[in-house]
Amino acid sequence: MPEQVETSPYDALLLLSFGGPEGPDDVVPFLENVTRGRGIPKERLKEVGQHYFLFGGVSPINEQNRVLLKALREDFAENGLELPVYWGNRNWAPYLTDTLREMTKDGRRRVAVLATSAYASYSGCRQYRENLADALATLTDEGLEPPRVDKLRHYFNHPGFVRPMVDGVLASLADLPEDVRAGAHLAFTTHSVPLAAADTSGPVEDHGDGGAYVAQHLDVARLIADTVHEETGVEHPWRLVYQSRSGAPHIPWLEPDICDHLEAVRGAGAPAVVMVPIGFVSDHMEVLYDLDTEATAKAAELGLPVRRSATVGADERFVGAVRDLLLERAATERGTAAERCALGTLGASHDLCPIGCCPARTPRPAAAGADSPYA
């Protein structure tokens, strides 16, 4: 048996994710959860849901979270962390509120939270914190005393997140025909967000053109491109591009879109492209449809060889990074110095989201931040 590792003050880890439908009948109810409060008609949701229906109405995200959950539990046991790992989703079963209720009844009092979103943004951080606050308020209204929750820091530049993506790019380049490999462009992709949300992402001091959201992605993209250069001797042109835009067309969002980018680089003479989904932890629907289906079809139309590199998923190095993040935060909470692993130029992110970080258009309570009503 491995020697037990100190994890106090935490007595549980919560894997917090987006959720997704697991059958055709789930698609519209799932989309209603995602878009609640926006007044979108059911017929419009059925149209949006066509992406899911192409895959039998099943998003891969829940199964991938089951795999990650199992990997985390096994890693913790193998490394002496006697800490249970729970799983809850924002928009589909297992629902966050139900999971927190279970944790409360199991006697969990201090919970570390890993969100399956690596970067600063409203939708990738604060909205998760708002959902946590909503769930805690519900349990309080039920007469329960819910646990304190602490969200683990952004991990976009942790070696255990970055290195698997580097290896994915190397594998994708190796899979290209040899005559186009050296000239291949790298298209680093992430979810597009409204410009207003990007500009106010991260702490107030990071607000501005693209905010922390763009700065963090650019740092990771540069880091991966430079590492590929160092290890292959070939310098590949690269650009950060965007995908999965939604919302009203008159609202400006981050650009260029991946399909527009493929057309532009083909027109400029690029012989091939590797699409690198650095903004996504796993191969969920927006990767399968927007990249593997839509962008790949666009590339075929252009006669452009493309490959899509792997996301980190449940790679053992990423699982190890989660363990690092948990132990780092636990040591900090105990008042002990801890190594904070980070690559690139931006350093390790903050533990506690400060006031003004990734603000919502309409202010709502959010847990696990300096402005949290749940201390």
Side-chain angles (χ1 to χ4, degrees):
M1 294 290 292
E3 183 178 350
Q4 186 174 346
V5 175
E6 180 64 74
T7 61
S8 65
Y10 297 113
D11 55 16
L13 175 72
L14 170 61
L15 175 64
L16 176 56
S17 195
F18 192 81
E22 300 198 79
D25 293 341
D26 296 345
V27 173
V28 172
F30 163 73
L31 292 173
E32 287 175 331
N33 287 342
V34 174
T35 61
R36 182 172 287 114
R38 301 183 200 173
I40 299 177
K42 183 171 287 190
E43 291 307 312
R44 173 57 182 152
L45 294 179
K46 289 179 181 178
E47 294 175 17
V48 173
Q50 291 306 312
H51 296 177
Y52 292 95
F53 292 127
L54 288 173
F55 296 88
V58 179
S59 167
I61 191 170
N62 274 1
E63 183 56 33
Q64 289 167 3
N65 279 324
R66 291 186 185 99
V67 173
L68 179 57
L69 187 71
K70 181 175 183 290
L72 287 167
R73 288 170 173 166
E74 291 175 350
D75 178 89
F76 282 14
E78 290 168 1
N79 288 279
L81 281 68
E82 295 186 357
L83 200 75
V85 186
Y86 295 76
W87 167 39
N89 289 325
R90 288 171 47 191
N91 298 298
W92 201 248
Y95 288 103
L96 170 60
T97 301
D98 295 337
T99 300
L100 280 173
R101 184 182 295 110
E102 176 188 0
M103 298 175 83
T104 300
K105 293 181 177 180
D106 286 348
R108 309 305 172 194
R109 304 308 309 144
R110 188 79 180 269
V111 176
V113 179
L114 177 84
T116 55
S117 177
Y119 300 83
S121 69
Y122 171 74
S123 57
C125 183
R126 186 173 178 91
Q127 194 168 16
Y128 281 90
R129 294 175 48 225
E130 291 176 350
N131 295 146
L132 283 166
D134 290 343
L136 295 172
T138 297
L139 299 186
T140 300
D141 290 344
E142 293 174 359
L144 298 173
E145 185 182 351
R148 171 174 167 176
V149 297
D150 292 336
K151 182 177 176 291
L152 299 178
R153 68 174 171 91
H154 302 303
Y155 47 84
F156 62 92
N157 56 3
H158 192 287
F161 185 67
V162 174
R163 185 66 224 190
M165 293 190 290
V166 171
D167 290 347
V169 173
L170 293 172
S172 293
L173 287 168
D175 191 50
L176 282 169
E178 188 173 358
D179 61 333
V180 299
R181 189 178 304 151
H185 286 224
L186 307 180
F188 294 98
T189 76
T190 191
H191 205 299
S192 184
V193 299
L195 291 185
D199 292 347
T200 57
S201 58
V204 172
E205 60 267 24
D206 292 339
H207 292 181
D209 188 14
Y213 186 73
V214 171
Q216 290 170 0
H217 281 88
L218 284 173
D219 207 48
V220 173
R222 187 177 298 109
L223 180 61
I224 294 173
D226 288 350
T227 305
V228 168
H229 181 200
E230 291 168 8
E231 297 187 11
T232 64
V234 179
E235 186 171 5
H236 294 273
W238 65 270
R239 184 168 183 181
L240 177 63
V241 301
Y242 303 93
Q243 62 175 90
S244 312
R245 178 196 164 127
S246 60
H250 68 279
I251 297 175
W253 285 51
L254 290 170
E255 296 177 336
D257 176 78
I258 177 61
C259 290
D260 294 337
H261 177 68
L262 293 177
E263 191 164 357
V265 296
R266 186 54 162 171
V273 171
V274 173
M275 300 181 291
V276 192
I278 60 172
F280 305 93
V281 172
S282 63
D283 291 3
H284 55 64
M285 184 57 68
E286 287 167 320
V287 175
L288 291 187
Y289 181 79
D290 295 336
L291 296 183
D292 293 354
T293 304
E294 191 174 49
T296 299
K298 172 55 106 174
E301 174 189 316
L302 296 168
L304 176 67
V306 293
R307 298 293 185 271
R308 196 267 292 172
S309 68
T311 54
V312 301
D315 185 286
E316 63 181 11
R317 292 163 293 185
F318 177 56
V319 173
V322 176
R323 174 168 27 91
D324 285 349
L325 292 167
L326 171 68
L327 294 177
E328 166 201 300
R329 182 64 180 275
T332 300
E333 293 297 315
R334 294 194 305 269
T336 304
E339 181 182 3
R340 297 171 65 83
C341 295
L343 302 174
T345 64
L346 298 180
S349 186
H350 51 263
D351 283 333
L352 194 67
C353 290
I355 294 171
C357 193
C358 305
R361 284 183 296 176
T362 303
R364 292 176 54 198
D371 56 354
S372 172
Y374 300 96

